[in-house]
Amino acid sequence: MASSTPSAFDPEHTKKERDDEEENSPAADDEDTGAQVAPIVKLEEVAVTTGEEDEDAIIDLKSKLYRFDKDSNQWKERGTGTVKLLKHKDTGKVRLVFRQSRTLKICANHLVIAGTKVQEHPGNDKSCIWHATDFADEELKDELFCIRFASVENCKTFMENVQEVAESQSKEESKDASETAKLLDKLNVEEDKTEGSAKEASGDASVNDKKEKAETEKKVAEPASSA
């Protein structure tokens, strides 16, 4: 009685298994030959500048930024990224910069001045708002910003640091104003001395002129009397 099960030596069965093995085996191109292929184009390393090289970061926090659109009367998202307070190494000025995470596009860029005031958002303790004259779009604009953080702690850290910078800038401005006033007083004193010296010189010249005139008149009168 013939068996219905294919024999182990069945040529058709063996051919099918061989085809399956070839089909499931990795392609020859995927095999690691150990050969090293040199790149066709050699790219040189290029130094990337951010404009922050002369500044030190006071804070660097992840956040989401919004700006108030007056035309539509609503908040519009500017991006998700990081907000930094950067202090210039030479001038001591501090600016606020917000960059998007992926594109690094600048969405906020303005100085923190004496009048900068940050207030907690009334509806969210993780957010705060402030006004600023911003230069992110390469032209000065009066903007109302809102920034939201992942935690209340980060929001407080941001607000406290901005407040400290604003107060320090106020002291610097007062110091500059005082020094300017002293300089003006000094200039006024020097001008008064110069005017006084000029008057004295003018008075001396007037006296000398009178003496010379009297002597001249005397010399003219003497010959007439002797005649």
Side-chain angles (χ1 to χ4, degrees):
M1 180 175 173
S3 175
S4 60
T5 304
S7 169
F9 299 101
D10 187 343
E12 289 297 322
H13 179 65
T14 305
K15 182 176 183 301
K16 185 174 182 302
E17 288 181 347
R18 187 167 60 251
D19 291 341
D20 290 342
E21 289 177 0
E22 291 178 356
E23 200 173 59
N24 295 328
S25 64
D29 292 342
D30 295 336
E31 294 181 2
D32 185 7
T33 62
Q36 295 183 354
V37 181
I40 299 175
V41 179
K42 186 177 180 180
L43 300 178
E44 295 182 0
E45 186 176 349
V46 178
V48 179
T49 58
T50 62
E52 302 174 7
E53 287 75 19
D54 295 329
E55 298 168 306
D56 293 322
I58 299 174
I59 60 170
D60 185 349
L61 300 171
K62 292 182 179 180
S63 52
K64 182 176 286 188
L65 184 70
Y66 301 83
R67 62 174 288 273
F68 188 76
D69 184 63
K70 297 178 182 178
D71 296 332
S72 60
N73 198 34
Q74 63 180 353
W75 291 101
K76 290 192 175 182
E77 183 177 337
R78 289 285 279 171
T80 300
T82 57
V83 61
K84 296 181 182 180
L85 290 179
L86 301 171
K87 184 175 182 179
H88 198 277
K89 296 176 182 178
D90 296 329
T91 65
K93 299 293 184 182
V94 179
R95 65 178 177 133
L96 182 151
V97 176
F98 183 96
R99 289 181 184 270
Q100 289 183 356
S101 296
R102 295 183 179 179
T103 63
L104 298 181
K105 177 184 176 182
I106 295 178
C107 301
N109 181 22
H110 63 79
L111 288 174
V112 178
I113 59 176
T116 304
K117 294 181 180 180
V118 182
Q119 299 177 337
E120 184 178 317
H121 193 286
N124 191 331
D125 57 0
K126 296 179 182 178
S127 304
C128 53
I129 57 178
W130 74 97
H131 281 94
T133 302
D134 192 69
F135 195 69
D137 296 330
E138 297 186 353
E139 61 176 328
L140 291 175
K141 292 182 182 179
D142 290 330
E143 298 280 15
L144 175 60
F145 288 114
C146 176
I147 194 166
R148 188 173 69 192
F149 297 92
S151 66
V152 176
E153 290 74 16
N154 283 353
C155 185
K156 288 182 177 179
T157 298
F158 173 78
M159 293 178 64
E160 289 171 357
N161 277 274
V162 172
Q163 185 66 28
E164 288 178 6
V165 170
E167 290 176 357
S168 67
Q169 294 299 319
S170 178
K171 292 178 181 178
E172 286 295 326
E173 288 179 8
S174 298
K175 182 180 178 181
D176 292 342
S178 177
E179 290 178 353
T180 301
K182 289 180 180 179
L183 181 61
L184 289 174
D185 288 340
K186 184 179 179 181
L187 290 174
N188 289 334
V189 170
E190 290 178 351
E191 287 178 358
D192 291 341
K193 288 182 178 179
T194 303
E195 290 178 0
S197 299
K199 287 180 179 179
E200 289 179 3
S202 178
D204 293 341
S206 178
V207 171
N208 291 333
D209 289 343
K210 289 180 180 179
K211 287 182 178 179
E212 290 179 358
K213 184 178 180 181
E215 289 177 357
T216 302
E217 290 177 350
K218 185 178 178 182
K219 290 179 180 179
V220 170
E222 283 178 355
S225 60
S226 61

